[in-house]
Amino acid sequence: MSIADTNDRDKSESLMELTVQVENFVRLSAAEGCALSDFERKFLDQLLHIGRVEMDLFLVSQGDGNLGETVTTADGHTQYRSAEPATRQLRTVFGEHQFEVYVYRTGQHPNTPIALRPIDIRLGIEPDRGSPLLQELAMLFSVEQAFNPAAKAFEHLFRHASNVLETAAWPRCPASIRSIRIFARQTALWLRCSAKIFHRHKEHQEAFARDRLKRILEGNVRRVIIGLRRMATQHKLEGDPLKEINTVGGYFESHMQRMKYDEYLAAGYPIASGVIEGACRNLVKDRMERTGMRWTLQGAQAMLNLRALYQSSYWDKFHKSHSPGTAQTSTARL
């Protein structure tokens, strides 16, 4: 891969000039008795400008991604270099950046899909995404406040606009984890309904439901289903009572794969209703039900995943481990 052969010395000298300008600004501000509020804002603007210039130099110094006219993948497929370098746009905390890079396609025609982006792999970034730090900051800005105020706050701090919806690679939450608490509560409710059919006194109902719930928590869902149906036969249930017991048994039977509470508890997953109610308030209501808010299903799920990540101990771990997929990186060694 060719490394940028532009006049980096001239760019380094311009950076040195910027540094001198900042130092002169600091000395002059101190000599003139500049108020801290004015100095701090102007100083931040200069630092952000230097950051943008240095980021441009860093990106250009990565080279153009030219690995030759073709690249052969590990599985024997040939990928073809674009005829000309394309303009790669990237958004960082310092603003928008552009640099020229080659890409490799599955075929020689310019309309065939891009299969390899060498510079993206080198930098560890994804197509059409902001930089990793920008993504993390976008999530932090929007996790507690609405998107528009978050975008305005970001723009005020970093002096450029950033669409928090487009910038962040929103975390995903496995469906199995999302449904554990819902089914735990439903399980308890169904057992209370069953208890009322077989027992009149409240203490007997509570004992019945508690015993069956204990069995389910121990992993014996199948036995509980068989037991409920056997009791229905022994009590010669008919009509609505029999229908309700069959409904309970059918519900448990249909969702047995989601009722492995013995495994969930062993893994440390919370299933108690108190946790559910607390989560509904802190995780959902405080962010999702503010005045005038409207959500699509996709947007709401993304925000809930983000808030769950933010309120857990996995925020830093997620951002350290989050990187582009290995499908690209396996096609060539850089």
Side-chain angles (χ1 to χ4, degrees):
M1 179 188 300
S2 60
I3 302 300
D5 56 2
T6 54
N7 196 335
D8 292 340
R9 181 178 179 181
D10 292 342
K11 293 184 178 181
S12 298
E13 290 176 353
S14 66
L15 290 174
M16 293 178 63
E17 292 174 359
L18 288 172
T19 304
V20 171
Q21 290 177 14
V22 171
E23 184 175 353
N24 291 337
F25 164 75
V26 173
R27 294 182 184 277
L28 182 61
S29 298
E32 294 180 348
C34 181
L36 179 61
S37 58
D38 293 335
F39 169 78
E40 193 172 20
R41 291 179 183 277
K42 294 178 181 178
F43 185 53
L44 177 59
D45 288 338
Q46 294 193 35
L47 293 179
L48 290 173
H49 177 63
I50 291 178
R52 180 182 177 87
V53 173
E54 296 216 32
M55 180 62 74
D56 285 337
L57 176 59
F58 172 77
L59 294 173
V60 171
S61 298
Q62 300 303 312
D64 57 9
N66 187 357
L67 302 177
E69 293 184 1
T70 61
V71 170
T72 302
T73 63
D75 55 4
H77 290 90
T78 300
Q79 296 173 351
Y80 302 87
R81 187 191 64 197
S82 56
E84 300 291 338
T87 300
R88 173 67 161 98
Q89 294 183 331
L90 178 67
R91 181 182 298 171
T92 73
V93 294
F94 301 108
E96 294 283 351
H97 309 271
Q98 293 185 355
F99 48 103
E100 302 297 313
V101 295
Y102 285 98
V103 296
Y104 287 78
R105 301 179 180 274
T106 56
Q108 294 180 316
H109 194 278
N111 291 334
T112 53
I114 296 176
L116 176 65
R117 302 173 186 266
I119 296 300
D120 282 16
I121 296 174
R122 183 185 182 94
L123 293 173
I125 58 178
E126 299 180 23
D128 304 323
R129 294 287 187 187
S131 68
L133 178 59
L134 181 64
Q135 292 187 52
E136 182 176 358
L137 291 178
M139 293 181 189
L140 280 172
F141 272 80
S142 61
V143 72
E144 292 292 351
Q145 57 182 331
F147 294 122
N148 286 340
K152 291 180 180 178
F154 184 98
E155 182 177 357
H156 180 75
L157 178 59
F158 291 100
R159 311 300 198 260
H160 69 88
S162 175
N163 189 320
V164 293
L165 281 174
E166 296 178 356
T167 299
W170 302 94
R172 297 180 180 180
C173 179
S176 58
I177 303 300
R178 295 198 302 267
S179 63
I180 288 174
R181 296 164 184 162
I182 298 174
F183 282 96
R185 186 165 190 173
Q186 290 295 326
T187 298
L189 291 175
W190 282 119
L191 287 175
R192 292 193 186 102
C193 292
S194 302
K196 292 179 181 179
I197 294 176
F198 295 119
H199 300 282
R200 294 183 178 180
H201 300 293
K202 185 175 181 180
E203 60 270 22
H204 294 160
Q205 294 174 2
E206 293 178 351
F208 178 92
R210 190 183 306 112
D211 177 72
R212 270 63 184 181
L213 182 59
K214 179 176 180 294
R215 298 181 190 181
I216 290 177
L217 294 178
E218 292 172 346
N220 296 318
V221 181
R222 174 65 67 182
R223 293 184 180 181
V224 171
I225 297 172
I226 295 174
L228 289 174
R229 290 172 175 169
R230 182 184 297 117
M231 289 185 66
T233 301
Q234 292 173 348
H235 285 72
K236 299 180 180 180
L237 295 182
E238 297 179 348
D240 291 341
L242 178 60
K243 182 179 179 180
E244 187 158 353
I245 292 299
N246 287 334
T247 300
V248 173
Y251 177 86
F252 288 167
E253 201 165 41
S254 299
H255 298 291
M256 285 183 61
Q257 294 301 315
R258 304 183 183 183
M259 297 172 61
K260 299 179 180 180
Y261 299 120
D262 54 328
E263 298 180 14
Y264 303 153
L265 292 171
Y269 299 151
I271 64 174
S273 60
V275 175
I276 302 172
E277 294 168 0
C280 288
R281 182 182 66 256
N282 298 323
L283 185 66
V284 182
K285 185 177 178 65
D286 290 351
R287 176 64 177 87
M288 312 295 286
E289 296 185 14
R290 298 181 183 180
T291 303
M293 285 192 171
R294 299 292 186 273
W295 296 90
T296 64
L297 182 60
Q298 182 180 6
Q301 186 62 68
M303 176 51 66
L304 290 176
N305 293 347
L306 176 63
R307 285 182 61 80
L309 187 68
Y310 179 73
Q311 294 183 2
S312 71
S313 59
Y314 297 105
W315 180 270
D316 291 337
K317 184 178 179 180
F318 170 80
H319 288 286
K320 288 179 181 178
S321 63
H322 183 68
S323 61
T326 57
Q328 277 193 342
T329 58
S330 63
T331 58
R333 292 178 295 179
L334 305 183

